[in-house]
Amino acid sequence: MVHNGGTMGFETFLGNPQAVSVVRDMLGSGRLPGALLLAGPDGVGKKTLALMLAKALNCERLRDDFCGECNHCRKAEEMLAATHEDLERRRQMKDSGRRVEGLVYFDLQLIEPITRYILIEQVRQLRNIAYTRPFELRRRVLIVDQAQAVHWQAVDLLLKVLEEPPDTTTLILICPNAFELRSTIRSRCSQIQFVPVEDAVIANLLEKEGRVPASRRALAVRAVAGSVAKAKTFDPAEFERRRKPWIDFFDAVGRAGKPAHVDWRALFDSTKALTEDRESFEETLDMGYSLLRDLVYVLETNDEVRVTHVDLLPRFKTWAPRLGLAGLETLKDGLDEAYRSQIRNANQQLGLEALAIELLTRAG
Ligand SMILES: [Zn+2]
């Protein structure tokens, strides 16, 4: 495992200092609850912190931290890699019925959805080993990522483990929103809440990585909205490619100043190349929504702090008053319609052509 600057341990974790100090206090006092629930938005490091915690629980040198170099720390890292490999192999199996065959769990184990759900076989295996002694580490740590995806048939089984906490194992559940879990599950875990990472931390990360040019950093910071994971993969060229058709569109509409004559067809034609699949269609629509939101902020509040596309502010100031609130609403209705049609056409043809015609008819 390679770490920047040779530093190790919890100090390398970005953001959410509150969550980190709660975890370290638990470790330091030796009073770690049997089950933890890490909740909060995607990309802020919930899984990363869970893995750090697993190492710290087992580190041979440190008590409320981990060294990354001792036998246990290295073993934990190997187990994690093996877990990832196994998950990947199973996800790629053609015969979905066999994906959960012969599950073998390590002392440190990541349990994630292999299909859409975390299946009963996975939870059964978790329960089988939760009460046994670890083989190579001091303590077992079973991490259930996307705990909201535990299949309903398996929830009771998971609850049973939480009700009779094993003394050899720490369970860590991870999910975006604690309220997506059944209250009986939630109430048996000590919850640690994560929040979006501060802009300054993200800006610092981008600067250190040096991948995003300085001129695009302010935009990147806003666009990733507190997600370290997104910051690490933010691609300015790709962002620009996805945004370009919308800029042209708003430019044209803003110049015409009459959203009744919105040229939806031109927009959807120009975004078609970006919408090869459902996910990219969603990303394309999200881009439209985020631009609209900015325009509303500029028009209504003058609250530039909340604007995502900071580099477009001068243009927003031209477009927004021309479009007016009514115009922005028309545009939002159009996007909502596109979104609904996307759900109707889920996983099939996106039907953009049909939608463009429908919107044109309505506008006319
Ligand atoms: Zn260690």
Side-chain angles (χ1 to χ4, degrees):
M1 190 175 175
V2 180
H3 273 260
N4 293 333
T7 46
M8 252 299 154
F10 285 110
E11 71 176 65
T12 61
F13 188 83
L14 295 177
N16 281 284
Q18 189 78 30
V20 176
S21 76
V22 168
V23 164
R24 296 192 73 173
D25 286 350
M26 286 173 172
L27 285 164
S29 68
R31 280 197 297 269
L32 194 81
L36 286 169
L37 169 58
L38 312 189
D42 285 337
V44 297
K46 302 186 294 297
K47 196 154 73 172
T48 303
L49 193 65
L51 296 166
M52 287 180 164
L53 172 58
K55 282 184 197 163
L57 271 171
N58 284 288
C59 183
E60 292 164 28
R61 293 183 191 159
L62 304 168
R63 183 181 167 83
D64 68 342
D65 209 338
F66 59 99
C67 72
E69 291 161 354
C70 71
N71 193 33
H72 278 174
C73 278
R74 285 209 309 268
K75 271 269 177 271
E77 197 57 45
E78 282 167 25
M79 289 172 184
L80 180 64
T83 286
H84 278 305
E85 238 167 68
D86 184 61
L87 276 168
E88 216 32 64
R89 189 178 57 81
R90 290 174 186 280
R91 284 190 184 121
Q92 278 166 10
M93 282 185 181
K94 291 242 160 56
D95 182 357
S96 59
R98 304 189 56 188
R99 283 186 189 147
V100 286
E101 270 181 15
L103 289 171
V104 177
Y105 283 179
F106 300 97
D107 294 344
L108 166 58
Q109 179 70 35
L110 194 59
I111 296 148
E112 288 181 357
I114 295 176
T115 61
R116 256 181 79 196
Y117 299 104
I118 293 173
L119 300 168
I120 193 152
E121 289 84 352
Q122 293 175 274
V123 178
R124 208 174 274 147
Q125 181 62 9
L126 175 153
R127 195 187 180 212
N128 283 345
I129 67 148
Y131 297 93
T132 63
R133 300 178 62 78
F135 286 111
E136 295 179 278
L137 299 181
R138 196 184 303 144
R139 191 168 177 75
R140 277 190 196 280
V141 182
L142 304 178
I143 301 169
V144 182
D145 191 19
Q146 312 288 339
Q148 78 284 0
V150 170
H151 195 275
W152 62 270
Q153 289 176 326
V155 172
D156 283 335
L157 202 55
L158 179 61
L159 185 59
K160 272 192 190 145
V161 183
L162 294 171
E163 280 170 350
E164 300 161 31
D167 17 282
T168 51
T169 299
T170 300
L171 279 171
I172 305 177
L173 307 191
I174 299 176
C175 73
N177 180 355
F179 290 96
E180 283 181 74
L181 302 182
R182 212 190 276 174
S183 65
T184 45
I185 298 265
R186 210 167 53 226
S187 65
R188 303 230 166 239
C189 303
S190 291
Q191 191 177 324
I192 300 176
Q193 184 64 42
F194 286 66
V195 294
V197 175
E198 302 83 345
D199 283 357
V201 175
I202 300 275
N204 193 21
L205 168 69
L206 290 171
E207 197 185 333
K208 252 197 219 152
E209 286 201 329
R211 216 171 24 82
V212 178
S215 61
R216 312 306 277 164
R217 256 177 238 152
L219 170 65
V221 167
R222 301 287 176 92
V224 305
S227 161
V228 171
K230 279 190 188 162
K232 285 183 172 167
T233 57
F234 184 84
D235 177 347
E238 173 61 22
F239 187 83
E240 212 47 72
R241 192 172 75 94
R242 217 165 266 290
R243 192 170 71 160
K244 177 80 169 54
W246 291 100
I247 293 181
D248 295 345
F249 172 72
F250 282 111
D251 220 6
V253 182
R255 213 174 302 130
K258 285 184 196 140
H261 299 110
V262 173
D263 189 357
W264 291 105
R265 181 186 288 276
L267 172 69
F268 288 122
D269 277 349
S270 60
T271 55
K272 206 185 278 173
L274 302 172
T275 59
E276 314 83 23
D277 53 41
R278 183 176 171 171
E279 201 177 317
S280 56
F281 184 60
E282 251 175 44
E283 272 175 40
T284 298
L285 281 187
D286 280 349
M287 184 66 83
Y289 277 118
S290 74
L291 285 159
L292 266 186
R293 217 166 27 235
D294 279 358
L295 282 163
V296 173
Y297 286 148
V298 168
L299 188 67
E300 289 283 275
T301 67
N302 236 344
D303 186 3
E304 294 175 7
V305 180
R306 297 172 73 183
V307 168
T308 301
H309 303 267
V310 274
D311 58 324
L312 296 180
L313 254 179
R315 292 208 224 181
F316 287 155
K317 285 179 178 163
T318 318
W319 296 342
R322 282 191 193 154
L323 286 162
L325 205 54
L328 291 172
E329 232 150 68
T330 306
L331 293 172
K332 185 182 169 293
D333 289 346
L335 279 189
D336 289 346
E337 185 57 42
Y339 197 82
R340 276 193 293 276
S341 114
Q342 176 229 353
I343 291 166
R344 271 203 302 274
N345 294 303
N347 298 326
Q348 304 173 15
Q349 273 281 310
L350 292 167
L352 286 178
E353 199 64 28
L355 175 67
I357 292 166
E358 196 179 319
L359 289 169
L360 278 174
T361 318
R362 281 185 0 175

